[in-house]
Amino acid sequence: MASEGLAGALAAVLGGQGLSVHSCDSEPAGEPLAPVRLRKNVCYVVLAVFLNEQDEVLLIQEAKKECRGSWYLPAGRMEPGETIVEALQREVKEEAGLHCEPLTLLSVEERGPSWIRFVFLARATGGILKTSKEADAESLQAGWYPRTSLPTPLRAQDILHLVELAAQYRQQARHPLTLPQELPCSLVCQRLVATFTSVQTVWVLVGTVGMPHLPITACGLTPVEQRGGIKMAVLRLLQGCLALPHLAVETKGLLGLQHLGKEHADGICLNVLVTVAFRNPAMQSEPPKVRGENFFWWKVMEEDLQSQLLQRLQESSVVPVNR
């Protein structure tokens, strides 16, 4: 078993780095997997939360007919050929007049694999704040407002939670700084760090087809998988090798994110931390039996990796994925 290779891959994923996606261990049944394309079968949205030293939030006033005059965080759809960071910087410049850099992902929101929003904590690096004199089709103006006294009307109440999430992160970061890694991918997929723990021991599920690797599951774009959300792809892979009725499976959140956007590579790979546990706690000492030969449980022996995994699990030190 190539444990050194597995240890290196796990260390990279825990460190927020990316790994190339060569193939998938699980795919939707009866659905030919065509490459995903922005504006055709997927939509990605970027959103930025800015908080200044005065605890003020950057908001923009909408110009679109259906919500004209209301206030919202800088946000918009990604365009083909953009990286996630490029899309964020373009939207902020268009809507608020500012140059910026993202500091970390705050959360990922999904309505199924074909609609995903990436929420960032960001900081301004330059530019001139847009005033009503520069009103255009992108926005009417931008401004800084006290976090506890935002202007009305808001375009939607969903930004209140995101503003508070940013404030909490600034006060006490729950997860390491996490930014997208620029690696190509043709599908929407998830790389699983699927864990089983007992006392201070951690096992990680490993795929065996080809070289031993962290398993990858492809997200389908069928109505069923859309309704079920991206967790459907995780359950599909695990159902193929474990007796799920006896197990509790939970996606804790994101360890990292991969996307390129160049050369028609519009896919993304979400590196996710997943826990597998017996519903009956008395059976918790050894991981559940694996069916077939395509997967096995790898007992993590490296102390540093083991402690990292336990810390991330115990503290839920991951980027939250919300639906």
Side-chain angles (χ1 to χ4, degrees):
M1 180 182 68
S3 59
E4 288 185 7
L6 287 173
L10 181 57
V13 171
L14 287 172
Q17 301 170 39
L19 298 170
S20 296
V21 176
H22 299 295
S23 60
C24 293
D25 298 277
S26 175
E27 298 179 356
E31 179 192 0
L33 279 178
V36 298
R37 292 285 183 266
L38 280 170
R39 292 186 173 177
K40 293 185 178 179
N41 54 8
V42 292
C43 174
Y44 304 145
V45 177
V46 290
L47 180 147
V49 185
F50 293 81
L51 290 170
N52 65 17
E53 295 303 316
Q54 291 73 46
D55 200 28
E56 294 173 324
V57 183
L58 177 67
L59 295 179
I60 62 98
Q61 193 172 33
E62 296 282 8
K64 293 186 285 290
K65 183 179 178 181
E66 62 272 19
C67 54
R68 187 178 179 86
S70 61
W71 294 88
Y72 205 66
L73 295 168
R77 295 184 179 189
M78 285 178 57
E79 300 288 348
E82 289 182 314
T83 67
I84 295 173
V85 170
E86 286 171 349
L88 184 81
Q89 292 170 330
R90 173 184 55 77
E91 286 291 346
V92 171
K93 183 67 171 67
E94 290 174 352
E95 295 189 343
L98 300 180
H99 302 294
C100 75
E101 69 172 359
L103 300 175
T104 184
L105 268 170
L106 279 178
S107 74
V108 172
E109 302 168 338
E110 54 106 0
R111 299 175 190 167
S114 67
W115 190 96
I116 300 176
R117 182 163 76 170
F118 307 105
V119 178
F120 288 89
L121 177 64
R123 74 177 187 94
T125 58
I128 300 173
L129 193 66
K130 191 174 190 177
T131 68
S132 57
K133 292 181 180 179
E134 289 95 41
D136 56 19
E138 300 295 337
S139 68
L140 300 179
Q141 60 180 318
W144 293 95
Y145 293 91
R147 178 168 61 88
T148 56
S149 180
L150 300 181
T152 56
L154 295 177
R155 177 180 138 192
Q157 299 292 308
D158 64 338
I159 65 171
L160 297 176
H161 165 69
L162 300 178
V163 169
E164 288 310 304
L165 193 64
Q168 291 166 13
Y169 190 91
R170 284 216 318 180
Q171 186 174 5
Q172 184 176 3
R174 284 192 62 183
H175 59 80
L177 296 174
T178 305
L179 291 172
Q181 300 298 298
E182 295 184 6
L183 285 169
C185 187
S186 62
L187 306 169
V188 176
C189 62
Q190 296 172 82
R191 176 181 284 110
L192 273 56
V193 178
T195 61
F196 178 89
T197 59
S198 174
V199 193
Q200 293 297 303
T201 306
V202 187
W203 288 263
V204 171
L205 191 69
V206 169
T208 62
V209 177
M211 292 290 290
H213 60 277
L214 298 173
I216 296 178
T217 181
C219 297
L221 301 178
T222 62
V224 171
E225 296 227 357
Q226 279 299 113
R227 288 193 298 271
I230 63 174
K231 70 178 182 182
M232 291 280 290
V234 174
L235 294 174
R236 182 189 346 105
L237 183 143
L238 295 178
Q239 196 168 28
C241 62
L242 302 174
L244 287 193
H246 305 293
L247 302 172
V249 175
E250 180 186 1
T251 296
K252 304 293 284 185
L254 219 64
L255 295 165
L257 164 66
Q258 302 174 201
H259 170 269
L260 184 61
K262 311 296 183 184
E263 300 174 3
H264 307 292
D266 290 337
I268 58 171
C269 180
L270 306 172
N271 295 326
V272 295
L273 183 61
V274 176
T275 57
V276 177
F278 285 107
R279 296 186 185 277
N280 179 359
M283 302 172 65
Q284 193 73 16
S285 61
E286 294 287 332
K289 185 177 179 181
V290 174
R291 294 196 301 258
E293 300 178 351
N294 291 342
F295 300 93
F296 69 90
W297 287 106
W298 168 48
K299 188 174 183 178
V300 180
M301 303 298 290
E302 293 81 353
E303 288 187 13
D304 180 53
L305 286 179
Q306 190 177 91
S307 64
Q308 280 190 65
L309 268 173
L310 288 170
Q311 180 259 327
R312 302 293 287 267
L313 288 165
Q314 290 163 2
E315 299 177 11
S316 292
S317 180
V318 288
V319 178
V321 179
N322 300 312
R323 181 164 169 74

